[in-house]
Amino acid sequence: MTPANTLVPRRLLLPFGKACARVPPSRRVRTSSRCLDVMPAWVIDKYGSNDVLRFTRNASFPSITYPNEVVVKVFAAGLNPLDVSMRGGYGAATLSMKRDPLSITVSGGEFPLILGRDVSGVIMECGLEVKYFQERDEVWAAIPPWKQGSLAEFVVLSANEISWKPKSLSHTEAAAIPYVATTAWSALVNTGGLRKENCGNKRILILGGSGGVGTFAIQLLKAWGAHVTVTCSQNAEQFVRGLGADHAVDYTDGPVEVSLSALEKFDLILDNVGGDTERWALGLLKPWSGSKYVTLVTPFMQNTDRLGVADGMMQTAATVASKALKHLLKGVHYRWGFFAPSGPALDEVRDLVEKGQIRAVVEETFSFSQVPQAFEKLEKGHARGKTVVQVSTGGS
């Protein structure tokens, strides 16, 4: 038996030490001697609004630094609200520390920065310690926010972060899934403790069910047999029911907490909305039964941006600890969920896609020349699925 939140990987992952130990320059880490210097990409040179996006044909070509890395040719890139936030400087302090923990580079060393967290493409080159992938494999991945993103012709990723793309999906469809899938998986499985075996008798509430994470979570939970209630606007009700939601509550029809309180209590709440939902949402949980409230809207990045990394992390720890204790005394569990890139999680998702239990939800597709328009569309909110950019032609 494996623990509830443990994945059985389809491939052996490199130990942490190997993945993080920088290889001496004298040691060969690549399988190929091919060398390119530049590539087309959309970059930002400073944080700001949409006008900071700049197209260049001279972005630095990504190179393999560690022997467990791969170079992926990008066919399609998915955009997320996180990309809009990062364009404006969200998380800059924390992500700079992750990129450069010893503060060797000067301030602003992350520029030119390439955005885009979803990728579907083809492996062009493998590091010497990559055992389970090879050149020409079609793969998909969610890219960690401290790495250069997918709005470029090529991207470098760890073999631990990628998975084989579902054969039933095009690259455009595949690019709509990885970020929302790994975010929902982290929240529901790693933090919420859910899995296929224990979902059959669970009542789940998703606050904000028509966006990217919400639409994926509905499908995952229904594939596992849970009863799913979501909040959404009236014009999205048919959409979420089409994905499998058992019940939809219109948040525009009066105070949504009143409508929800009339329903049977829930075993788990996934909050994609934030704001004042914490004030009333935890009262919808079954007390003293192990029920959990998991929110993906946390002040962690804002704290570190505002207070600095050390003070921000201390403030964050104090906040989550006090809230967890407060609600534990009422018989419910309060948790924060975070995006966590994971190739093994995408392996599991791929199987569900191939079985027809999860489908890609693409709201709109843009060409590579239309990246600014894609960001403008994303900023309008009220999404009904994902925004995808076709970076290269060809592929499946």
Side-chain angles (χ1 to χ4, degrees):
M1 293 294 289
T2 57
N5 61 351
T6 301
L7 290 172
V8 180
R10 309 290 170 80
R11 55 186 183 270
L12 180 64
L13 299 181
L14 285 171
F16 181 79
K18 285 188 178 181
C20 294
R22 189 176 289 270
V23 178
S26 59
R27 180 179 171 188
R28 186 165 173 258
V29 298
R30 303 165 61 184
T31 58
S32 169
S33 59
R34 290 193 301 254
C35 184
L36 296 174
D37 294 325
V38 296
M39 65 176 179
W42 283 91
V43 302
I44 63 172
D45 301 302
K46 62 180 179 179
Y47 297 118
S49 57
N50 217 36
D51 57 3
V52 301
L53 289 167
R54 174 175 66 88
F55 177 75
T56 177
R57 295 187 180 277
N58 297 307
S60 296
F61 189 89
S63 59
I64 290 177
T65 306
Y66 303 105
N68 69 323
E69 290 180 330
V70 298
V71 175
V72 175
K73 178 176 175 59
V74 180
F75 281 95
L79 295 183
N80 299 274
L82 176 63
D83 293 301
V84 176
S85 299
M86 287 181 61
R87 187 199 64 194
Y90 172 77
T94 304
L95 298 178
S96 291
M97 182 190 70
K98 181 67 177 177
R99 297 182 188 108
D100 183 23
L102 299 180
S103 299
I104 296 174
T105 60
V106 298
S107 176
E110 66 269 32
F111 300 119
L113 181 64
I114 302 172
L115 302 172
R117 296 304 108 198
D118 289 296
V119 60
S120 182
V122 175
I123 294 178
M124 302 300 291
E125 185 176 2
C126 295
L128 289 179
E129 292 186 12
V130 175
K131 305 298 182 184
Y132 295 90
F133 299 95
Q134 58 187 357
E135 292 181 11
R136 299 187 182 181
D137 279 353
E138 293 190 326
V139 295
W140 62 346
I143 304 172
W146 54 87
K147 291 188 175 182
Q148 293 285 38
S150 55
L151 291 176
E153 190 174 15
F154 297 92
V155 66
V156 165
L157 292 164
S158 163
N160 299 348
E161 295 160 354
I162 64 175
S163 171
W164 289 285
K165 179 184 77 68
K167 294 180 180 179
S168 60
L169 298 183
S170 68
H171 284 294
T172 300
E173 293 168 326
I177 293 179
Y179 177 83
V180 296
T182 51
T183 301
W185 191 281
S186 176
L188 296 172
V189 179
N190 301 344
T191 304
L194 299 180
R195 62 189 191 281
K196 180 179 179 181
E197 293 76 15
N198 70 0
C199 263
N201 61 345
K202 292 286 196 301
R203 285 179 51 80
I204 313 297
L205 170 62
I206 301 174
L207 300 175
S210 62
V213 174
T215 55
F216 178 85
I218 291 170
Q219 297 181 85
L220 176 66
L221 293 167
K222 290 309 298 179
W224 287 351
H227 182 282
V228 180
T229 299
V230 305
T231 64
C232 62
S233 63
Q234 183 180 13
N235 60 14
E237 180 175 348
Q238 185 176 358
F239 170 63
V240 297
R241 286 188 181 276
L243 295 173
D246 298 287
H247 188 58
V249 177
D250 179 9
Y251 64 78
T252 66
D253 185 23
V256 69
E257 61 268 31
V258 175
S259 300
L260 291 171
S261 62
L263 305 176
E264 183 182 342
K265 291 189 180 294
F266 299 93
D267 296 288
L268 185 140
I269 296 174
L270 176 63
D271 188 357
N272 300 304
V273 177
D276 69 342
T277 55
E278 287 187 19
R279 179 177 52 81
W280 48 263
L282 285 99
L284 304 174
L285 291 168
K286 299 175 181 178
W288 308 109
S289 63
S291 59
K292 295 178 181 176
Y293 166 87
V294 181
T295 179
L296 290 169
V297 185
T298 76
F300 173 63
M301 290 290 200
Q302 290 95 328
N303 285 344
T304 54
D305 287 343
R306 180 171 56 90
L307 302 173
V309 174
D311 290 343
M313 292 181 72
M314 289 180 62
Q315 178 65 51
T316 298
T319 299
V320 71
S322 63
K323 290 185 176 183
L325 179 59
K326 170 187 173 183
H327 294 294
L328 186 61
L329 295 174
K330 299 178 182 179
V332 296
H333 297 275
Y334 175 95
R335 297 286 187 270
W336 286 356
F338 296 95
F339 160 64
S342 171
L346 289 176
D347 287 345
E348 301 289 329
V349 173
R350 182 187 68 244
D351 288 348
L352 294 171
V353 171
E354 300 289 27
K355 292 176 182 176
Q357 294 178 301
I358 289 178
R359 63 181 175 88
V361 183
V362 179
E363 183 176 30
E364 193 167 353
T365 303
F366 294 83
S367 69
F368 196 37
S369 64
Q370 295 176 311
V371 166
Q373 292 94 313
F375 271 83
E376 289 174 359
K377 184 265 170 192
L378 198 61
E379 285 186 275
K380 294 177 181 178
H382 302 289
R384 300 289 180 267
K386 291 292 291 291
T387 299
V388 177
V389 174
Q390 292 179 320
V391 177
S392 302
T393 58
S396 61

